[in-house]
Amino acid sequence: MYTLPKIERFNQNVASKYNIYNSVFITLPFDEINNTGVLLPLFSEVCENGFKNNQSPEEIFDTFVSKYLDNPTQQEKESLMFRFIQYIERQVVLFDAIEDAAFSVVNNLEGRGSLRDMKENAEQKNKQEELKEFLENFKIRTVLTAHPTQFYPGSVLGIITDLTEAIRENNLNSIKELLAQLGKTPFIKHEKPTPYDEAVSLIWYLENVFYETAGAMMQYIQKNILKGEMPKNDILNLGFWPGGDRDGNPYVTTEITLKVADRLRTSILKSYYNDIRKLKRKLTFAGVDIIIADIESKLYRSVFYSQGEIFITLEDLKDKLLQVKMLVTTKHQSLYIDEIDLLLNKLNLFGFHFATLDIRQNSKIHARVFDAIIANKKTNFPENYKSLSEEDKFNFLSNVFSDLDVTDFEDEIVKSTIGSIKAMKTIQQNNGEKASNRYIISNNESALHVFETLSMFHLCGWKNPTVDIVPLFESVEDLEKADRVMEQLYTNVTYANHLKMRGNEQTIMLGFSDGTKDGGYLMANWGIYKAKEALTAISRKYDIKVVFFDGRGGPPARGGGKTHQFYASLGPKIESQQLQLTVQGQTISSNFGTLDSCRYNLENLVSAGAKNQVFNTNQNELTLSENAILEQLAEISFKKYIDFKNHPLFVPYLEKMSTLNYYAKTNIGSRPSKRNASDKLNFADLRAIPFVGSWSQLKQNVPGFFGVGTALKNYEDNNEWQKVSDLYHNSLFFKTLIENSMMALSKSFFPLTAYMKNDKEFGDFWQLIYTEFLETKRLLLKLSGYSALMENYPDGKASVELREKIVLPLLTIQQYALLKIKELKESETPNEKQIAIYEKIVTRSLFGNINASRNSA
């Protein structure tokens, strides 16, 4: 049967359905004034026409009021704005649910990038043995983080799940009821969530999506690639940051860390218990039934009756299941053997920990902690320690041990840091080593930062810590010297011995988010690529297996976009036996929120590794001339971005013209939006999420393109365009960079803020951004040969356009409110009550756009 093109499948199953169900939605009365749904489409039309005619948001809203409202009071206008926001938030949810319901129809789950495609590709090219060897060593790790870009409360997430299912079944009555429920369910959290609340929210995805998907993928590999042999390698790993990520979050305490670890263990045991209950209904054979009943009883007591006591160990559980498998195989014709294997695969993946709880802290905090440790008499540090040379510090720390406790200190930061080390040991004892065996150092600038962290474990009485110390290199400067930092560590006897105990494996984290904030889009990505090459070379020199852990956000500006293509583009000079990346905010729900999307994206990551190592060996290696071109492009782009970032109006523009100051008021995350509590905005203290998110709310997306146009224009002006054209067509790495930048451009909409060009203070600054946008867009289209951005992803392009259309009225209201706030604050007698109302409108308007973009921050 003929399969429709992807764009037609999208139009039929997403766009058309949205128009139908939205027409139902807007006719449902949700409050005493039931004409909101009638007015919203009219307002949307006025917005579209207004921006085409170069009107400002203020002119557009005033035009709408004069045309469709009968002399409304100020209060009535404000009330209508709030109701429009509420409707649009729910329209976004409706669109999400429809897109999720149609995921398997629009995307071919068995097509390119799937496990099946990988298997058939190996068979066609006679590379079955190479594929098996690859799967014996390759791992991916998706690390769920609690970064604040997912705002839905649990009640709304439940409605989305039910709505998705109702849409999939075309159950109109159920859809109408759920839309009505959605209209009456609050979206706003009145209090900030605690880190534990965030953990509970994300554990829902572990239980309901990752648990089933990862287990099924491993079983597919076992049955179809390994010919029934149980996989020895846990290919799919999960990481977890809520409750362990202390960087800039004072609310993460030792108590919270231990509580989250307990919750993870309880959740995985409950998942096993539910599977065992299903198996019990099937494995009713003599001898087998007794073993299953024993497992069920012990899991039940461990989950529901224990006060932290476990009545069955992981080894015992595995042994009993293997015993069951042997009995079923030898005496019962292998009946239900697939279900037994599925559970065994899950046990191998998730143990009793479910996901590895990473601990993370900033090197600047460690400096403060180390000062306190030096001053503590139990540690016997020399009085002149701080004035010692780096070499002498290394020599001293190589032999330092103690048994410090939190009670030895009064400073809460110090107690918390010591407490986190003690907590890791406790968690390993309770849940197994994998439960918490990585300590990440943010803002790592030197080898001493890593070595002092290892020393803190020794000073806390943990002589041979079963923990990986993971430096996070973020800034352009730190990325450039990362290989030298690691060589210093590799050649240190104490650190080399520690690595030997850890299997001579070193994990290194690289930060796309802060790298882009620091050096711009091209330089951040190229800087990380070069750092990976240099770190791979130095690690191979000392026979160390280096593992790269990428700190990626949702949008291209933070390392997001078509992530699997980045991994497929890695050449042989970059170690890629493991792919590790953070997944955060609304990217968790959009990319891994359903069984279909989770499977699709996880399989694409595995396939990217196979493409790089099995099928395209040496094809992605950059030539010397290509390296030189990328280097020059990055340098030119970097200079343009740094000049822009150093512009005296850069920070004031974000403060006064964007929504930056409103992120802290949204109650969508436990972590503060700045690292420093000072009222004055310091760019260095500004977190990447509100930074990137603020540009996204402005529909300017600066971090995803600024400097790219200038860099390309240099080659055009010097009659060397063919060089970048050849690079685009020959290098998957560069092509992916360009395509992700196109996504950032396609989510920009400068007519929204075009009124700013007339602003006395910021007019020239706005024009500076817009000029770079136009130049980048022109040259990216020239480079790709496309007539429109994202032309090669027609379904993705259509999805972006529909989402942008939905939120356009919301963004118009947001800009209108920002204009009014500015106007009121500049008046001789500011109306504080009125300002507060408009500020509330701005804050409320953030949510819909964050989620509609799906990867806005």
Side-chain angles (χ1 to χ4, degrees):
M1 184 178 172
Y2 172 69
T3 303
L4 292 171
K6 204 170 181 182
I7 183 61
E8 290 187 34
R9 300 200 300 273
F10 176 86
N11 288 333
Q12 279 188 10
N13 295 279
V14 179
S16 295
K17 279 191 177 181
Y18 174 74
N19 290 330
I20 292 165
Y21 293 138
N22 185 48
S23 64
V24 173
F25 176 64
I26 61 176
T27 60
L28 294 172
F30 296 125
D31 49 43
E32 67 279 3
I33 303 171
N34 60 15
N35 65 346
T36 311
V38 176
L39 290 172
L40 182 55
L42 299 172
F43 181 52
S44 297
E45 189 179 344
V46 170
C47 290
E48 286 184 47
N49 292 332
F51 287 122
K52 283 176 187 173
N53 295 319
N54 302 314
Q55 288 184 308
S56 70
E58 192 170 15
E59 290 169 331
I60 288 168
F61 189 75
D62 289 343
T63 298
F64 170 76
V65 168
S66 63
K67 190 172 181 180
Y68 293 108
L69 303 181
D70 186 18
N71 293 318
T73 64
Q74 179 64 24
Q75 190 175 359
E76 285 171 339
K77 286 194 284 186
E78 291 159 2
S79 174
L80 183 63
M81 280 189 267
F82 278 115
R83 294 204 308 279
F84 278 167
I85 291 169
Q86 288 175 310
Y87 261 75
I88 294 164
E89 283 174 341
R90 287 153 178 81
Q91 285 178 317
V92 171
V93 169
L94 173 61
F95 189 83
D96 282 350
I98 292 168
E99 205 162 42
D100 285 344
F103 191 91
S104 61
V105 178
V106 175
N107 300 280
N108 183 1
L109 297 185
E110 305 295 340
R112 187 180 300 171
S114 67
L115 290 179
R116 179 177 175 177
D117 175 62
M118 186 175 75
K119 167 188 164 286
E120 291 175 352
N121 200 4
E123 289 170 350
Q124 288 167 10
K125 296 180 179 177
N126 199 27
K127 290 197 170 187
Q128 295 100 317
E129 290 306 312
E130 288 96 327
L131 181 59
K132 280 184 185 178
E133 186 182 347
F134 162 74
L135 291 170
E136 284 169 7
N137 298 289
F138 181 74
K139 296 179 192 285
I140 63 172
R141 182 185 296 230
T142 50
V143 180
L144 307 189
T145 79
H147 293 336
T149 53
Q150 170 61 277
F151 73 92
Y152 292 138
S155 55
V156 174
L157 287 171
I159 296 171
I160 294 171
T161 302
D162 294 343
L163 185 58
T164 301
E165 189 57 37
I167 290 166
R168 194 177 283 125
E169 295 173 355
N170 288 315
N171 187 335
L172 187 58
N173 284 335
S174 182
I175 290 166
K176 285 181 74 172
E177 286 178 350
L178 287 163
L179 288 175
Q181 181 187 352
L182 190 67
K184 293 177 176 294
T185 302
F187 273 43
I188 302 306
K189 297 172 181 174
H190 295 293
E191 294 181 0
K192 273 184 174 290
T194 67
Y196 183 71
D197 294 334
E198 290 171 330
V200 170
S201 294
L202 290 191
I203 287 171
W204 184 93
Y205 291 101
L206 298 184
E207 292 175 335
N208 293 281
V209 184
F210 284 94
Y211 179 74
E212 296 299 339
T213 304
M217 285 174 63
M218 292 301 291
Q219 189 167 36
Y220 180 92
I221 289 168
Q222 179 189 344
K223 288 181 69 175
N224 298 286
I225 299 174
L226 302 181
K227 306 304 179 189
E229 186 182 337
M230 184 69 67
K232 297 180 182 67
N233 176 32
D234 54 338
I235 300 164
L236 308 171
N237 287 235
L238 294 175
F240 205 74
W241 275 17
D245 182 8
R246 284 167 160 68
D247 183 14
N249 194 339
Y251 307 112
V252 177
T253 63
T254 304
E255 182 186 6
I256 289 281
T257 301
L258 292 168
K259 195 176 174 184
V260 169
D262 283 347
R263 179 64 180 249
L264 283 164
R265 185 182 65 184
T266 301
S267 295
I268 192 59
L269 290 177
K270 193 188 296 179
S271 298
Y272 293 153
Y273 170 72
N274 289 333
D275 276 357
I276 284 290
R277 278 179 60 83
K278 291 172 190 171
L279 268 177
K280 189 182 178 185
R281 291 174 66 92
K282 296 178 177 181
L283 300 179
T284 51
F285 325 132
V288 176
D289 57 342
I290 296 170
I291 302 171
I292 292 292
D294 181 50
I295 294 172
E296 182 198 26
S297 171
K298 287 176 177 174
L299 282 174
Y300 182 82
R301 282 187 288 157
S302 300
V303 172
F304 298 107
Y305 277 135
S306 76
Q307 295 294 319
E309 188 178 356
I310 299 298
F311 294 90
I312 187 168
T313 66
L314 178 61
E315 291 71 25
D316 194 21
L317 179 53
K318 280 184 184 177
D319 287 345
K320 286 182 183 296
L321 277 173
L322 287 169
Q323 193 180 342
V324 165
K325 181 177 178 180
M326 185 191 69
L327 285 170
V328 167
T329 305
T330 56
K331 295 187 176 181
H332 303 289
Q333 293 75 50
S334 297
L335 197 55
Y336 299 125
I337 199 74
D338 282 354
E339 285 88 338
I340 299 167
D341 278 345
L342 179 60
L343 184 51
L344 280 167
N345 275 312
K346 289 174 179 176
L347 277 174
N348 289 333
L349 289 183
F350 305 122
F352 274 14
H353 63 283
F354 214 157
T356 299
L357 182 61
D358 289 341
I359 304 298
R360 183 170 78 130
Q361 185 54 282
N362 197 292
S363 65
K364 289 181 169 59
I365 297 296
H366 282 176
R368 178 171 154 186
V369 173
F370 227 70
D371 283 347
I373 288 173
I374 292 166
N376 190 287
K377 292 177 182 176
K378 280 175 71 174
T379 60
N380 295 318
F381 269 73
E383 288 184 11
N384 67 334
Y385 174 81
K386 292 181 78 172
S387 61
L388 293 176
S389 68
E390 192 176 68
E391 184 182 352
D392 287 340
K393 285 179 180 177
F394 267 90
N395 289 335
F396 175 76
L397 291 174
S398 294
N399 299 295
V400 69
F401 295 97
S402 188
D403 192 16
L404 294 172
D405 192 74
V406 290
T407 55
D408 295 325
F409 303 93
E410 293 182 6
D411 187 327
E412 286 302 321
I413 285 287
V414 180
K415 291 170 82 165
S416 173
T417 305
I418 301 296
S420 66
I421 291 171
K422 301 283 187 180
M424 291 180 82
K425 197 168 191 178
T426 302
I427 293 166
Q428 287 194 14
Q429 289 166 353
N430 293 341
N431 300 4
E433 191 219 291
K434 289 182 181 178
S436 185
N437 62 358
R438 307 203 311 180
Y439 194 109
I440 300 162
I441 312 159
S442 302
N443 193 39
N444 193 91
E445 296 173 338
S446 69
L448 193 61
H449 282 163
V450 179
F451 203 70
E452 284 183 344
T453 303
L454 176 62
S455 299
M456 283 198 292
F457 282 82
H458 296 158
L459 289 162
C460 289
W462 203 346
K463 193 168 184 178
N464 296 311
T466 46
V467 172
D468 297 323
I469 310 298
V470 182
L472 167 51
F473 298 104
E474 300 176 87
S475 71
V476 172
E477 183 185 349
D478 291 337
L479 287 167
E480 286 176 347
K481 64 182 181 183
D483 60 321
R484 298 191 295 280
V485 166
M486 295 315 299
E487 184 171 28
Q488 217 176 331
L489 291 164
Y490 294 158
T491 53
N492 176 273
V493 175
T494 302
Y495 196 80
N497 285 336
H498 169 70
L499 282 181
K500 194 173 181 180
M501 288 186 292
R502 302 301 295 156
N504 274 333
E505 186 172 288
Q506 172 69 57
T507 302
I508 299 172
M509 190 173 179
L510 303 159
F512 282 82
S513 303
D514 284 292
T516 303
K517 175 175 161 263
D518 180 51
Y521 178 70
L522 271 185
M523 179 55 89
N525 283 278
W526 179 235
I528 287 172
Y529 189 94
K530 286 194 301 177
K532 283 185 176 181
E533 283 195 333
L535 286 163
T536 298
I538 205 69
S539 299
R540 287 173 179 172
K541 177 181 175 181
Y542 292 100
D543 201 25
I544 302 296
K545 292 175 285 187
V546 68
V547 175
F548 294 119
F549 175 24
D550 291 335
R552 295 180 177 274
R558 299 185 57 232
K562 302 288 180 184
T563 309
H564 62 278
Q565 284 185 196
F566 265 111
Y567 291 124
S569 73
L570 300 176
K573 291 182 179 178
I574 293 177
E575 206 67 74
S576 54
Q577 285 283 55
Q578 296 190 37
L579 304 183
Q580 301 192 5
L581 68 158
T582 54
V583 189
Q584 54 195 247
Q586 81 277 35
T587 312
I588 296 172
S589 54
S590 61
N591 287 1
F592 301 94
T594 67
L595 293 171
D596 287 341
S597 63
C598 184
R599 175 191 157 193
Y600 180 83
N601 284 294
L602 286 179
E603 289 194 7
N604 264 277
L605 285 173
V606 176
S607 182
K611 186 177 181 183
N612 193 37
Q613 294 184 44
V614 180
F615 302 117
N616 281 349
T617 311
N618 296 332
Q619 285 188 16
N620 292 312
E621 187 173 357
L622 292 167
T623 64
L624 288 175
S625 61
E626 287 171 340
N627 260 288
I629 296 165
L630 272 162
E631 183 70 33
Q632 188 176 22
L633 286 168
E635 284 293 342
I636 296 167
S637 173
F638 179 60
K639 185 181 184 311
K640 178 73 173 179
Y641 179 78
I642 292 300
D643 288 346
F644 174 64
K645 196 174 76 170
N646 291 336
H647 194 292
L649 292 179
F650 184 87
V651 172
Y653 182 79
L654 282 173
E655 275 193 297
K656 295 179 184 179
M657 306 301 279
S658 82
T659 57
L660 180 67
N661 293 324
Y662 297 89
Y663 268 80
K665 301 174 183 179
T666 55
N667 291 335
I668 57 176
S670 68
R671 197 169 70 167
S673 59
K674 291 192 299 180
R675 284 186 169 90
N676 194 317
S678 166
D679 289 336
K680 189 178 186 320
L681 178 62
N682 183 322
F683 182 78
D685 292 329
L686 183 60
R687 291 196 172 279
I689 286 173
F691 173 70
V692 173
S694 297
W695 291 113
S696 173
Q697 295 284 333
L698 282 168
K699 287 295 159 190
Q700 294 176 2
N701 287 326
V702 158
F705 73 83
F706 200 88
V708 177
T710 296
L712 291 172
K713 191 172 187 302
N714 178 72
Y715 277 79
E716 184 184 55
D717 289 347
N718 290 319
N719 296 316
E720 294 182 310
W721 184 256
Q722 193 59 45
K723 287 184 178 180
V724 287
S725 179
D726 290 344
L727 180 65
Y728 174 79
H729 289 101
N730 295 333
S731 166
L732 181 59
F733 169 73
F734 185 60
K735 187 175 186 180
T736 304
L737 267 185
I738 293 301
E739 288 183 348
N740 280 341
S741 190
M742 281 189 186
M743 186 188 291
L745 291 171
S746 68
K747 291 184 178 183
S748 299
F749 184 67
F750 277 82
L752 178 72
T753 55
Y755 70 89
M756 293 182 187
K757 66 185 173 187
N758 299 319
D759 187 273
K760 289 179 183 176
E761 186 178 3
F762 296 107
D764 291 343
F765 190 77
W766 181 91
Q767 190 62 52
L768 177 70
I769 299 167
Y770 186 47
T771 300
E772 183 67 13
F773 166 81
L774 291 175
E775 198 69 326
T776 305
K777 181 180 177 181
R778 177 182 74 82
L779 291 167
L780 292 196
L781 291 175
K782 179 180 178 179
L783 189 62
S784 62
Y786 302 150
S787 57
L789 296 169
M790 294 182 69
E791 189 178 289
N792 57 330
Y793 294 108
D795 58 309
K797 181 174 181 288
S799 177
V800 168
E801 287 172 353
L802 239 172
R803 288 175 178 277
E804 296 299 309
K805 185 177 181 180
I806 291 169
V807 294
L808 186 60
L810 182 147
L811 292 166
T812 307
I813 289 169
Q814 182 185 95
Q815 286 297 317
Y816 175 85
L818 285 168
L819 276 161
K820 288 296 182 186
I821 292 166
K822 192 169 185 286
E823 187 182 301
L824 286 163
K825 284 185 174 179
E826 289 173 357
S827 66
E828 289 184 10
T829 54
N831 184 332
E832 295 299 333
K833 187 178 178 184
Q834 197 71 52
I835 290 171
I837 291 169
Y838 282 123
E839 287 184 335
K840 189 176 179 184
I841 287 172
V842 172
T843 304
R844 283 299 314 276
S845 68
L846 292 176
F847 303 123
N849 186 44
I850 286 173
N851 204 60
S853 296
R854 284 212 155 185
N855 65 357
S856 66

